[in-house]
């Protein structure tokens, strides 16, 4: 899809721009999320084909600015270049965030840093209604009925 997705240094730097560190809240780049984001984009039939070329264009532009790519650029220049590419191709951020946010906000250290319990939200805090055995029987009957 895109060599940018396989460039770990590029992805780590980019993810830290998308969700930067803020006090006790860690940035996304240093949390090892780039493989999950890359896998998500590769498997996304809608956003993946649009985000891949945009990422590659951004990566190429960063390499033209600095031989070390995005990670080797000054913070202000790095941010400006990403904003420029995101403005030219809005689906870039949409695709990244679609796969980054669920991975980021599932991490215990992120949940703790934002004041949440580092646990899945279910079942604590949610009341689970009793299952109606009669409805379940109807579904089972439909599942075994011949077409």
């Amino acid at each position: 899809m895109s060599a940018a997705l396989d460039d770990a240094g590029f992805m780590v730097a980019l993810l830290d721009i998308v969700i930067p560190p803020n006090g006790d809240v860690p940035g996304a780049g240093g949390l090892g999320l780039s493989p999950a984001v890359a896998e998500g984009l590769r498997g996304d039939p809608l956003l993946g084909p649009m985000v891949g070329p945009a990422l590659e264009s951004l990566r190429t532009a960063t390499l033209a600015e600095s031989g070390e790519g995005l990670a080797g650029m000054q913070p202000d220049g790095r941010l400006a270049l990403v904003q420029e590419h995101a403005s030219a191709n809005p689906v870039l951020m949409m695709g990244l965030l679609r796969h980054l946010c669920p991975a980021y906000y599932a991490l215990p250290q992120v949940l703790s840093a934002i004041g949440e319990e580092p646990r899945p939200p279910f079942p604590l805090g949610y009341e689970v209604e009793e299952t109606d055995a009669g409805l379940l029987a109807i579904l089972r009957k439909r599942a075994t009925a011949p077409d």
Side-chain angles (χ1 to χ4, degrees):
M1 167 188 268
S2 168
L5 291 173
D6 296 323
D7 185 337
F10 170 78
M11 288 298 292
V12 166
L14 179 59
L15 296 183
D16 257 350
I17 291 170
V18 176
I19 301 179
N22 184 5
D24 291 339
V25 182
L31 297 175
L33 299 174
S34 58
V37 172
E39 181 181 331
L41 285 167
R42 282 189 183 100
D44 188 330
L46 179 63
L47 294 172
M50 293 184 282
V51 173
L55 280 173
E56 193 54 43
S57 173
L58 174 58
R59 180 175 172 264
T60 300
T62 64
L63 288 170
E65 289 281 327
S66 166
E68 297 175 36
L70 194 58
M73 294 177 66
Q74 293 297 316
D76 288 345
R78 182 170 40 194
L79 180 59
L81 194 58
V82 170
Q83 287 175 332
E84 178 185 321
H85 276 75
S87 293
N89 192 348
V91 78
L92 172 62
M93 284 301 149
M94 184 185 343
L96 281 175
L97 290 171
R98 165 67 184 88
H99 296 285
L100 174 59
C101 287
Y104 180 78
Y105 288 105
L107 295 174
Q109 62 266 44
V110 172
L111 291 172
S112 292
I114 63 173
E116 295 293 327
E117 279 188 66
R119 62 163 178 80
F122 183 82
L124 289 178
Y126 298 94
E127 203 170 302
V128 179
E129 295 179 21
E130 289 288 324
T131 300
D132 183 340
L135 293 174
L136 188 56
I138 293 169
L139 290 174
R140 286 186 176 140
K141 185 177 177 183
R142 284 184 190 167
T144 58
D147 290 336

